Amino acid sequence: LLSRCVERGDFAVLTPLLEQLRGSGEAALAGARRAHALAARNAQADMAKVLAAHLIVELSFAGNAQYRQSDYNAAIRRYEEAINLCEESQGVAEDAGRDMSDASTQQNVTRLRYNLARALHRLDRWSEAREQATAVLRLDPAYLNAYALRAQAAMAAFDWAGAKADW
């Protein structure tokens, strides 16, 4: 149904349909992915943007739920997909000459990267957790939890100087 909306360029049906699909699970995510890919292939930038925004929110919620259930690998996949969509959306906007200093996009990427770092940390993937925490701090130097997480990952890797620098 989402793909039909894209094929017809029907925003009037697409928008309320996406609202109804919020939190509907894997099948709804798969349909939104297909519709997003179709919109991107057909150069329907506005449709792709709406679908990407929906997917980012849904993937974030799904990743958070999987994190709470200690399914860290699944959470990582969700966060990475959402980050890729955010960055893809930024690239499309930059190619179209639009300013991508959008605060909400930067906030989304910051939170997604922090959540990704937390999930990586839980799986003892210290180096990757530190990389993601560093990326968070590049986006928002005042994100205090990212310093703490990076310090914890440094301690776990026996990098005492790195840990001390973040505390």
Side-chain angles (χ1 to χ4, degrees):
L1 193 53
L2 292 173
S3 293
R4 289 248 190 239
C5 290
V6 171
E7 288 169 356
R8 295 178 180 174
D10 193 348
F11 274 106
V13 174
L14 179 68
T15 304
L17 183 56
L18 288 174
E19 286 301 318
Q20 290 297 315
L21 291 173
R22 290 237 183 259
S24 295
E26 191 57 41
L29 274 174
R33 285 183 187 108
R34 284 190 303 274
H36 177 261
L38 178 62
R41 272 194 316 274
N42 292 346
Q44 294 170 293
D46 290 339
M47 285 263 180
K49 183 177 178 180
V50 168
L51 288 158
H54 173 80
L55 280 166
I56 290 163
V57 169
E58 292 300 304
L59 289 164
S60 176
F61 286 155
N64 292 345
Q66 289 162 328
Y67 182 91
R68 284 190 300 275
Q69 296 168 356
S70 301
D71 189 354
Y72 304 119
N73 284 312
I76 288 167
R77 286 190 300 276
R78 300 292 190 206
Y79 295 141
E80 287 176 336
E81 184 178 355
I83 290 166
N84 288 337
L85 282 167
C86 284
E87 291 173 349
E88 176 184 301
S89 295
Q90 284 179 331
V92 167
E94 287 169 355
D95 290 345
R98 285 182 257 151
D99 180 20
M100 277 315 294
S101 58
D102 179 12
S104 66
T105 301
Q106 184 171 340
Q107 234 176 15
N108 281 341
V109 173
T110 302
R111 288 185 180 136
L112 287 164
R113 286 199 179 280
Y114 177 72
N115 289 344
L116 175 57
R118 286 179 39 223
L120 290 164
H121 185 269
R122 290 289 190 156
L123 292 176
D124 299 341
R125 292 166 61 179
W126 315 121
S127 175
E128 294 166 276
R130 287 173 76 179
E131 287 172 16
Q132 291 303 319
T134 299
V136 168
L137 293 168
R138 276 195 300 272
L139 293 167
D140 182 358
Y143 206 113
L144 298 179
N145 288 345
Y147 286 105
L149 183 64
R150 191 168 70 174
Q152 291 168 354
M155 286 189 297
F158 304 108
D159 178 4
W160 308 119
K164 184 178 178 185
D166 284 334
W167 285 117

